[in-house]
């Protein structure tokens, strides 16, 4: 039986407001007539500046909008900050938390990321938390330890909203290198195992995605793995045609129901 795949396009610091709006329109046209949202759920994460414009264009479609980050709190004295409350108001229903670029360049640690997830839930947003090992950690054989450690605080409290976990090996992001689908399946099984151990009743509600150099050619291989429910896509999501090709691949190939 085929489950529902989740594809999230993370545009990072790319595209103007105008360019983001144009991309959303092109994607709607490219999916017209054949895309089945019951088989593939599509979420787009433009820059914060473009969320409102993209959200207006996507209103009435089944494509949802995500923030790429959030700050704690709702409103207040935090120059440059954007809270979950403000993202939701602008039209987002999802938010990416703890992407490796934020862990690396903004020193986000597991404690802050856990607080951000709680803040996302408070604002009514589905949280997509990114975890994954660096190349050095992989070479030391520490992948499993790192993944379990990154889940530890996150899964310590109760599940109070939508949670998706994206396994993104840091060395695979933007590099064109990907792990074997079977390696991803092993990590996905570990993640599902940890979630099941902490939240037995919620195990089926937490999806695990793969992220890192995903494209229309390699996506099917990941979705064919039993525990992988979709993908978080950076570079390849920037072209509407490639994004549509990935939706098509996901619709044809998976994921397999657990
Ligand atoms: P990439 O990025 O697809 O360009 O490797 C993935 C990500 O950073 O989420």
């Amino acid at each position: 039986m085929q489950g529902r795949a989740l594809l999230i396009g993370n545009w990072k610091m790319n595209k103007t407001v105008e360019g983001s709006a144009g991309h959303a329109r092109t994607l709607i046209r490219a999916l017209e007539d054949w895309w089945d949202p019951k088989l593939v759920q599509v979420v787009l994460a433009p820059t914060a500046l473009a969320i409102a414009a993209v959200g207006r264009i996507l209103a009435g479609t089944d494509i949802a909008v995500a923030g790429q980050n959030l700050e704690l709190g709702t409103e207040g004295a935090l120059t440059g900050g954007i809270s979950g409350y403000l993202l939701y108001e602008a039209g987002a229903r999802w938010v990416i938390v703890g992407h490796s670029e934020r862990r690396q360049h903004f020193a986000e640690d597991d404690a802050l990321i856990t607080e951000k997830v709680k803040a996302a839930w408070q604002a009514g947003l589905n949280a997509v938390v990114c975890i994954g090992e660096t190349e050095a950690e992989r070479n030391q054989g520490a992948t499993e330890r790192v993944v379990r450690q990154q889940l530890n605080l996150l899964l310590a409290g109760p599940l109070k909203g939508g949670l998706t976990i994206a396994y993104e090996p840091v060395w695979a992001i933007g590099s064109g290198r990907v792990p074997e689908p079977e390696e991803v399946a092993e990590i996905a099984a570990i993640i599902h195992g940890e979630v099941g151990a902490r939240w037995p009743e919620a195990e089926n509600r937490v999806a695990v995605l793969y992220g890192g150099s995903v494209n229309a050619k390699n996506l099917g291989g990941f979705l064919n793995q039993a525990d992988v429910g979709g993908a978080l896509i950076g570079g390849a999501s920037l072209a509407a045609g490639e994004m549509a090709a990935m939706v098509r691949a996901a619709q044809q190939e998976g994921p397999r129901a657990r």
Side-chain angles (χ1 to χ4, degrees):
M1 201 188 91
Q2 185 169 318
R4 190 184 193 205
L6 170 60
L7 297 187
I8 304 176
N10 174 12
W11 298 352
K12 306 190 179 180
M13 196 170 71
N14 291 293
K15 298 185 189 293
T16 61
V17 175
E18 196 63 38
S20 301
H23 180 114
R25 280 193 207 94
T26 309
L27 184 62
I28 291 170
R29 276 197 302 276
L31 300 180
E32 222 165 43
D33 299 333
W34 59 268
W35 169 46
D36 183 351
K38 288 195 289 304
L39 293 179
V40 186
Q41 189 174 13
V42 180
V43 179
L44 302 177
T47 68
L49 290 173
I51 285 174
V54 169
R56 275 193 294 276
I57 288 161
L58 297 178
T61 77
D62 286 297
I63 306 176
V65 186
Q68 299 176 8
N69 173 46
L70 79 164
E71 301 301 337
L72 303 180
T74 50
E75 290 181 301
L78 190 68
T79 302
I82 297 173
S83 66
Y85 164 78
L86 295 176
L87 289 174
Y88 189 98
E89 276 297 297
R93 294 295 177 266
W94 294 74
V95 65
I96 299 168
V97 185
H99 189 281
S100 68
E101 287 150 18
R102 297 215 54 97
R103 291 180 190 256
Q104 186 187 343
H105 302 297
F106 299 86
E108 295 197 2
D109 61 13
D110 294 329
L112 177 61
I113 289 162
T114 301
E115 289 309 306
K116 287 191 171 189
V117 169
K118 289 185 201 157
W121 289 340
Q122 194 117 39
L125 298 166
N126 292 301
V128 182
V129 177
C130 303
I131 61 174
E133 81 286 2
T134 62
E135 180 141 44
E137 288 163 342
R138 177 183 169 86
N139 291 341
Q140 289 157 17
T143 299
E144 189 180 324
R145 180 180 57 74
V146 169
V147 164
R148 286 189 198 277
Q149 189 182 317
Q150 287 174 332
L151 290 173
N152 199 28
L153 273 179
L154 180 67
L155 303 183
L159 179 69
K160 293 219 170 129
L163 179 64
T164 298
I165 296 171
Y167 170 55
E168 300 208 304
V170 178
W171 53 272
I173 294 175
S175 67
R177 292 159 55 212
V178 292
E180 293 299 326
E182 293 73 21
E183 293 176 72
V184 173
E186 274 173 38
I187 300 297
I190 289 170
I191 298 169
H192 276 294
E194 287 284 336
V195 172
R198 316 281 186 107
W199 300 327
E201 72 299 339
E203 211 256 324
N204 282 333
R205 289 200 283 131
V206 178
V208 176
L209 311 182
Y210 168 71
S213 296
V214 170
N215 57 40
K217 282 205 186 73
N218 64 24
L219 175 63
F222 297 113
L223 294 184
N224 271 319
Q225 307 301 319
D227 282 311
V228 181
L232 178 55
I233 306 144
S237 74
L238 293 174
E242 181 76 3
M243 187 69 190
M246 289 185 282
V247 175
R248 193 178 285 279
Q251 189 156 308
Q252 286 165 353
E253 303 201 35
R256 286 201 277 127
R258 301 185 71 237

